[in-house]
Coordinates of all heavy atoms in Angstrom, one line a residue:
V1 N 22.8 -40.9 -15.7 CA 22.1 -41.8 -16.5 C 23.1 -42.8 -17.2 O 24.2 -42.3 -17.4 CB 21.1 -41.2 -17.6 CG1 20.1 -40.4 -16.9 CG2 22.0 -40.2 -18.5
G2 N 22.7 -43.9 -17.6 CA 23.4 -44.8 -18.5 C 23.2 -44.3 -20.0 O 22.2 -43.9 -20.4
I3 N 24.3 -44.4 -20.7 CA 24.2 -44.0 -22.1 C 25.0 -45.0 -22.9 O 26.1 -45.5 -22.6 CB 24.8 -42.6 -22.3 CG1 24.5 -42.1 -23.7 CG2 26.2 -42.5 -21.9 CD1 24.6 -40.6 -23.9
A4 N 24.5 -45.4 -24.1 CA 25.1 -46.3 -25.0 C 25.2 -45.6 -26.4 O 24.3 -45.0 -26.8 CB 24.3 -47.6 -25.2
F5 N 26.5 -45.6 -26.9 CA 26.8 -44.9 -28.1 C 26.6 -45.9 -29.3 O 26.6 -47.0 -29.2 CB 28.1 -44.3 -28.1 CG 28.2 -43.2 -27.1 CD1 28.6 -43.4 -25.8 CD2 27.8 -41.9 -27.3 CE1 28.7 -42.4 -24.9 CE2 27.9 -40.9 -26.5 CZ 28.3 -41.1 -25.2
E6 N 26.6 -45.3 -30.5 CA 26.5 -46.0 -31.8 C 27.6 -47.1 -31.9 O 28.7 -47.0 -31.5 CB 26.7 -45.1 -33.0 CG 25.8 -43.9 -33.1 CD 26.2 -43.0 -34.2 OE1 27.1 -42.3 -34.0 OE2 25.4 -42.9 -35.2
R7 N 27.1 -48.3 -32.4 CA 28.1 -49.4 -32.6 C 29.1 -49.0 -33.5 O 28.9 -48.3 -34.6 CB 27.3 -50.6 -33.1 CG 26.4 -51.2 -32.0 CD 25.8 -52.6 -32.6 NE 24.8 -53.0 -31.6 CZ 25.2 -53.7 -30.5 NH1 26.5 -54.0 -30.3 NH2 24.3 -54.2 -29.8
G8 N 30.4 -49.4 -33.2 CA 31.5 -49.1 -34.1 C 32.1 -47.7 -34.0 O 33.2 -47.4 -34.5
A9 N 31.5 -46.8 -33.2 CA 32.0 -45.5 -33.1 C 32.9 -45.5 -31.9 O 32.9 -46.2 -30.9 CB 30.8 -44.5 -32.8
P10 N 33.9 -44.6 -31.9 CA 34.9 -44.5 -30.8 C 34.2 -44.0 -29.6 O 33.2 -43.2 -29.6 CB 36.0 -43.5 -31.4 CG 35.3 -42.7 -32.4 CD 34.3 -43.7 -33.0
A11 N 34.8 -44.3 -28.4 CA 34.2 -43.9 -27.2 C 34.7 -42.4 -27.0 O 35.7 -42.1 -27.0 CB 34.8 -44.8 -26.0
P12 N 33.6 -41.5 -26.6 CA 34.0 -40.2 -26.2 C 34.8 -40.2 -24.9 O 34.7 -41.1 -24.1 CB 32.6 -39.6 -26.0 CG 31.6 -40.4 -26.7 CD 32.3 -41.8 -26.6
E13 N 35.6 -39.1 -24.8 CA 36.4 -39.0 -23.5 C 35.5 -38.5 -22.3 O 34.5 -37.7 -22.6 CB 37.4 -38.0 -23.8 CG 38.5 -38.3 -24.8 CD 39.5 -37.2 -25.0 OE1 39.6 -36.3 -24.2 OE2 40.1 -37.4 -26.0
P14 N 35.8 -39.1 -21.2 CA 35.1 -38.6 -20.0 C 35.2 -37.0 -19.8 O 36.3 -36.5 -20.2 CB 35.8 -39.3 -18.8 CG 36.3 -40.5 -19.5 CD 36.7 -40.1 -20.8
G15 N 34.1 -36.4 -19.5 CA 34.1 -35.0 -19.4 C 33.5 -34.3 -20.6 O 33.3 -33.1 -20.6
A16 N 33.3 -35.1 -21.7 CA 32.7 -34.5 -23.0 C 31.4 -34.0 -22.7 O 30.6 -34.6 -22.0 CB 32.8 -35.6 -24.0
P17 N 31.0 -32.8 -23.3 CA 29.7 -32.3 -23.1 C 28.8 -33.1 -24.1 O 29.1 -33.7 -25.0 CB 29.9 -30.9 -23.7 CG 31.1 -30.8 -24.5 CD 32.0 -31.9 -24.0
L18 N 27.5 -33.3 -23.6 CA 26.5 -34.0 -24.3 C 25.5 -32.9 -24.8 O 25.0 -32.1 -23.9 CB 25.9 -35.0 -23.4 CG 26.8 -36.2 -22.9 CD1 26.1 -37.0 -22.0 CD2 27.4 -37.0 -24.1
F19 N 25.2 -33.0 -26.0 CA 24.3 -32.1 -26.7 C 23.0 -32.7 -26.9 O 22.8 -33.8 -27.3 CB 24.9 -31.6 -28.0 CG 26.1 -30.7 -27.7 CD1 27.4 -31.2 -27.7 CD2 26.0 -29.2 -27.7 CE1 28.5 -30.6 -27.5 CE2 27.1 -28.5 -27.5 CZ 28.3 -29.1 -27.4
D20 N 21.9 -31.9 -26.8 CA 20.5 -32.2 -27.1 C 20.2 -31.1 -28.2 O 19.8 -30.0 -27.7 CB 19.6 -32.2 -25.9 CG 18.2 -32.4 -26.2 OD1 17.9 -33.0 -27.3 OD2 17.3 -32.0 -25.4
G21 N 20.4 -31.4 -29.4 CA 20.3 -30.4 -30.4 C 21.4 -29.5 -30.3 O 22.6 -29.9 -30.4
E22 N 21.2 -28.2 -30.2 CA 22.4 -27.2 -30.1 C 22.8 -26.8 -28.6 O 23.8 -26.1 -28.5 CB 22.1 -26.0 -30.9 CG 21.8 -26.1 -32.4 CD 23.2 -26.7 -33.0 OE1 24.2 -26.1 -32.6 OE2 23.1 -27.6 -33.8
R23 N 22.0 -27.3 -27.7 CA 22.4 -26.9 -26.3 C 23.0 -28.0 -25.5 O 22.8 -29.2 -25.8 CB 21.1 -26.5 -25.5 CG 20.2 -27.7 -25.3 CD 19.0 -27.2 -24.5 NE 18.2 -28.3 -24.1 CZ 18.3 -29.0 -22.9 NH1 19.1 -28.6 -22.0 NH2 17.6 -30.1 -22.7
I24 N 23.9 -27.6 -24.6 CA 24.6 -28.7 -23.7 C 23.5 -29.1 -22.8 O 22.9 -28.3 -22.0 CB 25.8 -28.1 -23.1 CG1 26.9 -27.8 -24.2 CG2 26.3 -29.1 -22.1 CD1 28.1 -27.1 -23.5
A25 N 23.3 -30.5 -22.7 CA 22.3 -30.9 -21.8 C 22.9 -32.0 -20.8 O 22.1 -32.5 -20.1 CB 21.2 -31.7 -22.7
G26 N 24.2 -32.0 -20.7 CA 24.8 -32.9 -19.8 C 26.3 -33.0 -20.0 O 26.8 -32.4 -20.8
R27 N 26.9 -34.0 -19.3 CA 28.3 -34.2 -19.3 C 28.6 -35.6 -19.1 O 28.0 -36.3 -18.1 CB 29.1 -33.3 -18.4 CG 30.5 -33.2 -18.8 CD 31.2 -31.9 -18.2 NE 30.7 -30.7 -18.8 CZ 31.1 -30.0 -19.8 NH1 32.1 -30.6 -20.6 NH2 30.7 -28.9 -20.2
L28 N 29.4 -36.2 -19.9 CA 29.8 -37.6 -19.7 C 30.8 -37.7 -18.6 O 31.8 -37.0 -18.5 CB 30.5 -38.1 -21.0 CG 30.7 -39.6 -21.2 CD1 29.4 -40.3 -21.3 CD2 31.4 -39.8 -22.6
T29 N 30.5 -38.6 -17.6 CA 31.4 -38.9 -16.4 C 32.3 -40.0 -16.6 O 33.4 -39.9 -16.1 CB 30.6 -39.0 -15.1 OG1 29.8 -40.1 -15.3 CG2 29.7 -37.8 -14.9
S30 N 32.0 -40.9 -17.3 CA 32.8 -42.1 -17.6 C 32.4 -42.8 -18.9 O 31.2 -42.7 -19.3 CB 32.8 -43.1 -16.4 OG 31.6 -43.6 -16.3
C31 N 33.4 -43.4 -19.6 CA 32.9 -44.1 -20.9 C 34.1 -45.0 -21.2 O 35.3 -44.7 -21.2 CB 32.7 -43.1 -22.0 SG 32.1 -43.8 -23.4
M32 N 33.7 -46.2 -21.8 CA 34.6 -47.3 -22.2 C 33.9 -48.1 -23.3 O 32.7 -48.1 -23.4 CB 35.0 -48.2 -21.1 CG 35.7 -47.6 -20.0 SD 36.5 -48.9 -19.0 CE 38.0 -49.2 -19.8
D33 N 34.8 -48.7 -24.1 CA 34.2 -49.7 -25.2 C 33.8 -50.9 -24.4 O 34.5 -51.4 -23.5 CB 35.3 -50.0 -26.2 CG 35.5 -48.9 -27.2 OD1 34.4 -48.3 -27.6 OD2 36.6 -48.6 -27.6
S34 N 32.7 -51.5 -24.7 CA 32.2 -52.7 -24.1 C 32.1 -53.8 -25.1 O 31.3 -53.8 -26.1 CB 30.9 -52.6 -23.4 OG 30.3 -53.7 -23.0
A35 N 33.0 -54.8 -25.0 CA 32.9 -56.0 -25.8 C 31.6 -56.7 -25.7 O 31.1 -57.2 -26.8 CB 34.1 -57.0 -25.5
T36 N 31.0 -56.9 -24.5 CA 29.9 -57.5 -24.3 C 28.6 -56.8 -25.0 O 27.9 -57.4 -25.7 CB 29.5 -57.6 -22.9 OG1 30.6 -58.3 -22.2 CG2 28.2 -58.4 -22.5
E37 N 28.6 -55.4 -24.9 CA 27.5 -54.7 -25.5 C 27.8 -54.4 -27.0 O 26.8 -54.0 -27.7 CB 27.3 -53.4 -24.7 CG 26.9 -53.6 -23.3 CD 25.5 -54.3 -23.2 OE1 24.6 -54.1 -24.0 OE2 25.3 -55.1 -22.3
G38 N 29.0 -54.4 -27.4 CA 29.3 -54.2 -28.8 C 29.4 -52.6 -29.1 O 29.3 -52.3 -30.3
C39 N 29.5 -51.8 -28.1 CA 29.5 -50.4 -28.4 C 30.1 -49.7 -27.1 O 30.5 -50.4 -26.2 CB 28.1 -49.8 -28.5 SG 26.9 -50.1 -27.2
A40 N 30.3 -48.4 -27.2 CA 30.8 -47.7 -26.1 C 29.7 -47.4 -25.2 O 28.5 -47.0 -25.6 CB 31.5 -46.4 -26.5
I41 N 29.9 -47.6 -23.8 CA 28.9 -47.3 -22.8 C 29.5 -46.4 -21.8 O 30.7 -46.4 -21.6 CB 28.3 -48.6 -22.2 CG1 29.4 -49.4 -21.5 CG2 27.6 -49.5 -23.2 CD1 29.0 -50.6 -20.6
G42 N 28.6 -45.6 -21.1 CA 29.1 -44.7 -20.1 C 28.1 -44.3 -19.2 O 26.9 -44.7 -19.3
L43 N 28.4 -43.5 -18.3 CA 27.5 -42.9 -17.4 C 27.7 -41.3 -17.5 O 28.7 -40.8 -17.8 CB 27.9 -43.2 -15.9 CG 27.7 -44.6 -15.5 CD1 28.3 -44.8 -14.1 CD2 26.3 -45.0 -15.6
A44 N 26.6 -40.7 -17.4 CA 26.6 -39.2 -17.6 C 25.5 -38.6 -16.7 O 24.6 -39.2 -16.1 CB 26.1 -38.9 -19.1
W45 N 25.7 -37.2 -16.4 CA 24.6 -36.6 -15.8 C 24.0 -35.7 -16.8 O 24.6 -35.3 -17.8 CB 25.2 -35.8 -14.5 CG 26.2 -34.7 -14.8 CD1 27.5 -34.9 -14.6 CD2 26.0 -33.4 -15.3 NE1 28.2 -33.8 -15.0 CE2 27.3 -32.7 -15.3 CE3 24.9 -32.7 -15.7 CZ2 27.5 -31.5 -15.8 CZ3 25.1 -31.4 -16.2 CH2 26.4 -30.8 -16.2
S46 N 22.7 -35.5 -16.6 CA 22.0 -34.6 -17.6 C 21.0 -33.8 -16.8 O 20.6 -34.1 -15.7 CB 21.2 -35.5 -18.6 OG 20.2 -36.2 -18.1
Y47 N 20.6 -32.6 -17.4 CA 19.6 -31.9 -16.7 C 18.4 -31.6 -17.7 O 18.4 -31.8 -18.9 CB 20.1 -30.6 -16.3 CG 21.0 -29.8 -17.2 CD1 20.5 -28.9 -18.1 CD2 22.4 -30.0 -17.1 CE1 21.4 -28.2 -18.9 CE2 23.3 -29.3 -18.0 CZ 22.8 -28.4 -18.9 OH 23.5 -27.8 -19.7
A48 N 17.2 -31.4 -17.1 CA 16.0 -31.3 -17.8 C 15.7 -29.8 -18.3 O 16.0 -29.0 -17.4 CB 14.9 -31.8 -17.1
E49 N 15.3 -29.7 -19.4 CA 14.8 -28.4 -19.9 C 13.3 -28.5 -19.9 O 12.7 -29.4 -20.4 CB 15.3 -28.2 -21.4 CG 14.8 -26.9 -21.9 CD 15.8 -25.8 -21.6 OE1 17.0 -26.0 -21.2 OE2 15.4 -24.6 -22.0
T50 N 12.7 -27.6 -19.1 CA 11.2 -27.6 -19.0 C 10.7 -28.9 -18.3 O 9.7 -29.4 -18.6 CB 10.5 -27.3 -20.3 OG1 10.7 -28.3 -21.2 CG2 10.9 -26.0 -20.9
G51 N 11.6 -29.5 -17.4 CA 11.1 -30.7 -16.7 C 11.1 -32.1 -17.5 O 10.7 -33.0 -16.9
V52 N 11.8 -32.0 -18.7 CA 11.8 -33.3 -19.5 C 13.3 -33.6 -19.7 O 14.1 -32.8 -20.2 CB 11.1 -33.1 -20.8 CG1 11.2 -34.4 -21.6 CG2 9.6 -32.8 -20.5
F53 N 13.8 -34.8 -19.3 CA 15.1 -35.2 -19.6 C 15.3 -35.7 -21.0 O 14.3 -36.4 -21.5 CB 15.5 -36.3 -18.6 CG 15.8 -35.8 -17.2 CD1 14.8 -35.9 -16.2 CD2 17.0 -35.2 -16.8 CE1 15.0 -35.4 -14.9 CE2 17.2 -34.8 -15.5 CZ 16.2 -34.9 -14.5
P54 N 16.4 -35.5 -21.6 CA 16.6 -36.0 -23.0 C 16.8 -37.5 -22.9 O 17.2 -38.1 -21.9 CB 17.9 -35.3 -23.3 CG 18.2 -34.3 -22.4 CD 17.5 -34.6 -21.2
T55 N 16.3 -38.2 -24.1 CA 16.5 -39.6 -24.2 C 17.6 -39.9 -25.2 O 18.0 -41.1 -25.3 CB 15.2 -40.2 -24.6 OG1 14.8 -39.7 -25.8 CG2 14.1 -40.1 -23.5
A56 N 18.2 -38.9 -25.8 CA 19.2 -39.1 -26.7 C 20.2 -37.9 -26.7 O 19.7 -36.8 -26.4 CB 18.7 -39.3 -28.2
F57 N 21.4 -38.2 -26.9 CA 22.4 -37.1 -26.9 C 23.4 -37.3 -28.2 O 23.4 -38.3 -28.8 CB 23.3 -37.4 -25.6 CG 22.7 -37.1 -24.3 CD1 22.3 -38.1 -23.5 CD2 22.4 -35.9 -23.9 CE1 21.6 -38.0 -22.3 CE2 21.7 -35.6 -22.6 CZ 21.3 -36.7 -21.9
E58 N 24.2 -36.2 -28.3 CA 25.3 -36.3 -29.3 C 26.5 -35.8 -28.6 O 26.5 -34.7 -27.9 CB 24.9 -35.3 -30.4 CG 25.9 -35.5 -31.6 CD 25.4 -34.7 -32.7 OE1 25.5 -33.5 -32.7 OE2 25.0 -35.3 -33.7
A59 N 27.6 -36.6 -28.6 CA 28.9 -36.2 -28.0 C 29.8 -35.8 -29.1 O 29.9 -36.4 -30.2 CB 29.5 -37.4 -27.2
H60 N 30.6 -34.6 -28.9 CA 31.6 -34.2 -29.9 C 32.9 -34.8 -29.4 O 33.3 -34.5 -28.3 CB 31.5 -32.7 -29.8 CG 30.3 -32.1 -30.4 ND1 30.3 -30.8 -30.9 CD2 29.0 -32.6 -30.4 CE1 29.0 -30.6 -31.3 NE2 28.3 -31.7 -30.9
L61 N 33.6 -35.5 -30.3 CA 34.9 -36.0 -30.0 C 36.0 -35.0 -30.3 O 35.7 -34.1 -31.0 CB 35.2 -37.2 -30.9 CG 34.0 -38.3 -30.9 CD1 34.4 -39.5 -31.9 CD2 33.9 -38.9 -29.5
S62 N 37.1 -35.3 -29.8 CA 38.3 -34.3 -29.9 C 38.7 -34.2 -31.3 O 39.2 -33.2 -31.8 CB 39.5 -34.7 -29.0 OG 39.8 -36.1 -29.3
S63 N 38.4 -35.3 -32.2 CA 38.7 -35.2 -33.6 C 37.7 -34.3 -34.4 O 37.9 -34.1 -35.6 CB 38.7 -36.7 -34.1 OG 37.3 -37.1 -34.1
G64 N 36.6 -33.9 -33.8 CA 35.7 -33.0 -34.4 C 34.4 -33.9 -34.9 O 33.4 -33.3 -35.3
A65 N 34.6 -35.2 -34.9 CA 33.5 -36.0 -35.2 C 32.4 -36.0 -34.1 O 32.7 -35.6 -33.0 CB 33.9 -37.4 -35.3
R66 N 31.2 -36.4 -34.5 CA 30.1 -36.5 -33.5 C 29.5 -37.9 -33.5 O 29.5 -38.6 -34.4 CB 29.0 -35.5 -34.0 CG 29.4 -34.1 -34.0 CD 28.3 -33.2 -34.5 NE 28.8 -31.8 -34.6 CZ 28.0 -30.8 -34.6 NH1 26.7 -31.0 -34.7 NH2 28.5 -29.6 -34.5
V67 N 29.2 -38.3 -32.3 CA 28.7 -39.7 -31.9 C 27.4 -39.5 -31.2 O 27.3 -38.8 -30.2 CB 29.7 -40.5 -31.1 CG1 29.2 -41.9 -30.8 CG2 31.1 -40.5 -31.7
R68 N 26.4 -40.2 -31.8 CA 25.0 -40.3 -31.1 C 25.0 -41.3 -30.0 O 25.5 -42.4 -30.2 CB 24.0 -40.4 -32.2 CG 23.7 -39.2 -33.0 CD 22.7 -39.4 -34.0 NE 23.3 -40.2 -35.0 CZ 22.9 -40.6 -36.2 NH1 21.6 -40.2 -36.4 NH2 23.5 -41.3 -37.0
G69 N 24.3 -41.1 -29.0 CA 24.1 -42.0 -27.9 C 22.6 -42.0 -27.5 O 22.0 -40.9 -27.6
A70 N 22.2 -43.0 -26.8 CA 20.8 -43.0 -26.3 C 20.9 -43.5 -24.7 O 21.8 -44.2 -24.4 CB 20.0 -44.1 -27.0
V71 N 20.0 -43.0 -24.0 CA 19.9 -43.3 -22.5 C 19.4 -44.7 -22.5 O 18.4 -45.1 -23.2 CB 18.9 -42.3 -21.9 CG1 18.6 -42.7 -20.5 CG2 19.4 -40.8 -22.0
V72 N 20.0 -45.5 -21.6 CA 19.7 -46.8 -21.5 C 19.7 -47.2 -19.9 O 20.2 -46.5 -19.1 CB 20.8 -47.8 -22.1 CG1 20.8 -47.7 -23.7 CG2 22.1 -47.6 -21.6
P73 N 18.9 -48.2 -19.6 CA 18.8 -48.5 -18.1 C 20.1 -49.0 -17.6 O 20.9 -49.7 -18.4 CB 17.7 -49.6 -18.1 CG 17.5 -50.1 -19.5 CD 18.1 -49.0 -20.4
T74 N 20.4 -48.8 -16.4 CA 21.5 -49.4 -15.7 C 20.9 -50.3 -14.6 O 19.8 -50.2 -14.2 CB 22.3 -48.2 -15.0 OG1 21.5 -47.5 -14.0 CG2 23.0 -47.3 -16.0
P75 N 21.7 -51.3 -14.3 CA 23.1 -51.6 -14.5 C 23.3 -52.1 -16.0 O 22.3 -52.7 -16.5 CB 23.6 -52.5 -13.4 CG 22.4 -53.3 -13.1 CD 21.2 -52.3 -13.3
F76 N 24.5 -52.0 -16.5 CA 24.8 -52.6 -17.8 C 24.8 -54.1 -17.9 O 24.8 -54.6 -18.9 CB 26.1 -52.0 -18.4 CG 25.9 -50.4 -18.6 CD1 26.6 -49.6 -17.8 CD2 25.1 -50.0 -19.6 CE1 26.5 -48.2 -18.0 CE2 25.1 -48.6 -19.9 CZ 25.8 -47.6 -19.0
Y77 N 25.2 -54.7 -16.8 CA 25.4 -56.1 -16.7 C 24.1 -56.9 -16.8 O 23.0 -56.2 -16.8 CB 26.2 -56.6 -15.4 CG 25.5 -56.4 -14.1 CD1 24.7 -57.4 -13.7 CD2 25.6 -55.2 -13.4 CE1 23.9 -57.2 -12.5 CE2 24.9 -55.1 -12.2 CZ 24.1 -56.0 -11.8 OH 23.4 -55.9 -10.6
D78 N 24.1 -58.1 -17.0 CA 23.0 -59.0 -17.1 C 22.3 -59.4 -15.7 O 22.8 -60.5 -15.2 CB 23.3 -60.2 -17.9 CG 22.2 -61.1 -18.2 OD1 21.1 -60.7 -18.1 OD2 22.5 -62.3 -18.6
P79 N 21.5 -58.6 -15.1 CA 21.1 -58.9 -13.8 C 20.4 -60.1 -13.6 O 20.4 -60.7 -12.5 CB 20.1 -57.6 -13.3 CG 19.7 -57.1 -14.6 CD 20.9 -57.4 -15.6
K80 N 19.7 -60.7 -14.6 CA 18.9 -61.9 -14.5 C 19.6 -63.2 -14.9 O 19.2 -64.3 -14.9 CB 17.6 -61.9 -15.3 CG 16.7 -60.8 -14.8 CD 15.4 -60.8 -15.6 CE 14.3 -59.7 -14.9 NZ 13.2 -59.6 -15.7
G81 N 20.9 -63.0 -15.4 CA 21.8 -64.0 -15.8 C 21.4 -64.7 -17.1 O 21.7 -65.8 -17.3
V82 N 20.6 -64.1 -17.9 CA 20.2 -64.6 -19.2 C 21.4 -65.1 -20.1 O 21.4 -66.1 -20.6 CB 19.3 -63.6 -19.9 CG1 18.8 -64.2 -21.3 CG2 18.0 -63.4 -19.1
K83 N 22.3 -64.1 -20.3 CA 23.5 -64.4 -21.1 C 24.4 -65.6 -20.5 O 24.8 -66.4 -21.2 CB 24.4 -63.3 -21.2 CG 23.7 -62.1 -22.1 CD 24.6 -60.9 -22.2 CE 23.9 -59.8 -23.0 NZ 24.7 -58.6 -23.1
L84 N 24.4 -65.6 -19.1 CA 25.1 -66.7 -18.5 C 24.5 -68.1 -18.8 O 25.2 -69.0 -19.0 CB 25.2 -66.4 -17.1 CG 26.0 -67.4 -16.2 CD1 27.4 -67.4 -16.6 CD2 25.8 -67.0 -14.7
R85 N 23.2 -68.2 -18.7 CA 22.5 -69.4 -18.9 C 22.3 -69.7 -20.4 O 21.9 -70.9 -20.7 CB 21.2 -69.4 -18.2 CG 21.3 -69.3 -16.7 CD 20.0 -69.3 -16.0 NE 20.2 -68.9 -14.6 CZ 19.9 -67.7 -14.2 NH1 19.4 -66.7 -15.1 NH2 20.1 -67.2 -13.0
G86 N 22.5 -68.8 -21.3 CA 22.3 -68.9 -22.7 C 23.1 -69.8 -23.5 O 23.5 -70.8 -23.8

């Protein structure tokens, strides 16, 4: 899934576990700061508990801080070219 983290928050490291409450519900496979999106974006795999996939996650940074992220559609780029023509 695509995931976008809080604006201004540091990007979690690839491989970081993603939490849905207190349980690990996935793992971040890649992540970088995006100047276009204004936040850190990445790709992750997640698994469903009782058949429902989470729509929000929390990543724990190596510093001990926690960063919230939400599932977003991919691709991250502007497929209709709206920004290009704007």
Side-chain angles (χ1 to χ4, degrees):
V1 296
I3 187 166
F5 291 94
E6 299 172 292
R7 292 188 182 276
E13 295 178 14
L18 298 173
F19 292 85
D20 178 24
E22 293 299 316
R23 72 178 185 91
I24 294 177
R27 197 155 298 269
L28 194 60
T29 59
S30 61
C31 189
M32 294 190 87
D33 286 319
S34 170
T36 304
E37 297 296 324
C39 62
I41 59 173
L43 295 173
W45 59 262
S46 69
Y47 45 87
E49 179 87 13
T50 66
V52 178
F53 286 96
T55 58
F57 295 101
E58 190 173 70
H60 295 200
L61 305 177
S62 56
S63 66
R66 296 178 180 199
V67 179
R68 285 179 284 184
V71 173
V72 295
T74 56
F76 293 108
Y77 68 89
D78 183 17
K80 294 183 180 178
V82 175
K83 292 180 184 178
L84 178 65
R85 292 185 199 96

